Amino acid sequence: MSKDSDVEQAVKEIKVEPAMTQESPAAPAAAPATVSTATTVIAVTNGEKPMEVTPAAATSAIPAAAAAAATATAEQVQPATTIGGIELAATATGNGKANMDPALINFKVLYVLTQLCGLTMIVLVGTWIGQHFGGLGGTANPKLEFNWHPLFMTIGFIYLYGNSILIYRGFRTTRKKTLKLTHAGIHMAAFILTVIALKTVFDSHNLASPPIPNMYSLHSWLGLSAVIVFSLQYVAGFVAFLAPGLRENYRIAMMPLHIYFGLFGFVLAIASALMGLTEKAIFAITNPPYSTLPPAGVLANVIGVLYVVFGALVVYLATEPSYKRKPIPEDTALLNSSPANE
């Protein structure tokens, strides 16, 4: 009896072990069935109400949804826009409208305001000397010849000088070589007008009866200093950035100095112009006197305010980091090529 009991017990153990062995792989097989009944796939479309689909439908809906998303992305992304040489970066929005970079929008507004301020300044200087000081003349009339001085200094040494500083940021999509040549050309035009303006003021002093002493006022000292800084800056910039042969590391070292002294000379020109404007108003506006604020005096003060506003806008636009011009592919090709091939 004991042997039979042992045999039966052994048979039971043998039957139980295969059953337990077969149950362990059954667990993974049950998982898909559970997922298939409980999983819901949400197909999200662009701007439409989400839809619940079954796993089988989701498999066929994924390519269609991807294609729809790609189409929507292609419709929303707009290329960069350039207006007046100013690049306006576009970004996609939910409703498909392009949203321009706020920094570039601010730059464009301030750049246009700077140009309007500069042009108004030139018009008012012309009106001032035309209506209140007899207009323009030659060496036969030294007083009228002097009037070329404030006009040409305003056009060349303030307006053109300031625009030459802003040329790289105002026309940010233009090839850098073109900007270099334009920068140098505007500087040359400003220098020519400045030389003519200096000649007229020396003539008006030397040809007057009796002659007027030269270079005695603070205005003349600062004005001549600004012209010297401008001239040295032009020569140094031409040698460093336009003339071939200078090594690249020297150009990189020169750039901060070029930027600093360019702005320094411009600010010095603004200060000198303010002093000259005040000096002219005090000496020339006598009947009625300048102290009573006649129309000629009010106009002189308005011109001075425009000098300050124009100078402040130029310095801000030239130094604000977010307005800095970003390199374009043509710039990379220019840097990789030798100066002789530019």
Side-chain angles (χ1 to χ4, degrees):
M1 292 293 293
S2 61
K3 291 182 180 181
D4 294 339
S5 300
D6 293 338
V7 171
E8 290 177 359
Q9 184 65 26
V11 170
K12 290 180 180 181
E13 291 176 357
I14 293 172
K15 290 182 179 180
V16 171
E17 290 177 357
M20 295 175 63
T21 305
Q22 293 176 358
E23 289 178 359
S24 56
T34 303
V35 173
S36 62
T37 56
T39 301
T40 302
V41 179
I42 306 299
V44 181
T45 59
N46 186 20
E48 298 178 0
K49 183 179 178 181
M51 297 183 298
E52 296 185 359
V53 297
T54 60
T59 305
S60 60
I62 289 175
T71 304
T73 304
E75 292 176 353
Q76 291 178 1
V77 175
Q78 301 292 335
T81 305
T82 302
I83 300 178
I86 303 172
E87 181 181 353
L88 304 175
T91 57
T93 57
N95 57 3
K97 294 183 179 180
N99 183 23
M100 294 180 290
D101 186 359
L104 292 182
I105 294 176
N106 293 338
F107 175 83
K108 183 176 184 295
V109 172
L110 292 177
Y111 186 80
V112 172
L113 181 62
T114 303
Q115 300 305 315
L116 292 177
C117 181
L119 294 174
T120 304
M121 176 177 66
I122 294 172
V123 172
L124 291 184
V125 170
T127 303
W128 189 55
I129 63 179
Q131 290 188 354
H132 301 287
F133 297 106
L136 303 171
T139 57
N141 192 334
K143 287 186 177 180
L144 296 184
E145 185 184 7
F146 172 85
N147 292 337
W148 289 103
H149 179 74
L151 181 62
F152 278 177
M153 280 296 187
T154 302
I155 297 174
F157 213 39
I158 296 180
Y159 181 73
L160 292 182
Y161 194 174
N163 275 281
S164 181
I165 292 174
L166 295 179
I167 193 70
Y168 287 96
R169 298 192 173 196
F171 297 87
R172 57 184 65 246
T173 59
T174 306
R175 190 168 179 246
K176 195 167 187 179
K177 180 181 178 181
T178 303
L179 293 178
K180 280 185 177 183
L181 296 175
T182 306
H183 180 70
I186 296 176
H187 263 63
M188 177 57 71
F191 178 76
I192 293 172
L193 292 177
T194 300
V195 170
I196 297 174
L198 289 177
K199 182 183 182 303
T200 60
V201 72
F202 279 106
D203 283 349
S204 67
H205 283 194
N206 297 331
L207 298 176
S209 181
I212 301 173
N214 293 309
M215 301 301 300
Y216 69 90
S217 65
L218 182 59
H219 162 66
S220 61
W221 285 22
L222 290 184
L224 188 60
S225 299
V227 173
I228 292 173
V229 171
F230 177 85
S231 303
L232 294 177
Q233 169 79 355
Y234 185 82
V235 174
F238 184 86
V239 172
F241 304 108
L242 279 179
L246 193 68
R247 295 175 60 181
E248 187 64 28
N249 55 344
Y250 291 124
R251 296 186 180 187
I252 295 174
M254 282 285 296
M255 182 57 72
L257 297 175
H258 185 69
I259 295 173
Y260 171 78
F261 282 103
L263 289 174
F264 173 71
F266 177 71
V267 172
L268 196 59
I270 294 289
S272 176
L274 291 173
M275 292 181 181
L277 191 66
T278 304
E279 183 180 307
K280 177 68 174 178
I282 292 174
F283 288 161
I285 304 176
T286 57
N287 187 22
Y290 178 46
S291 58
T292 62
L293 275 183
V298 173
L299 189 54
N301 290 352
V302 172
I303 293 171
V305 171
L306 289 176
Y307 282 162
V308 173
V309 173
F310 181 79
L313 287 172
V314 169
V315 172
Y316 175 71
L317 292 177
T319 56
E320 172 59 35
S322 62
Y323 300 155
K324 186 176 181 181
R325 175 183 181 274
K326 296 180 181 179
I328 58 178
E330 289 82 355
D331 296 344
T332 305
L334 182 63
L335 291 174
N336 293 333
S337 61
S338 60
N341 295 330
E342 292 183 0

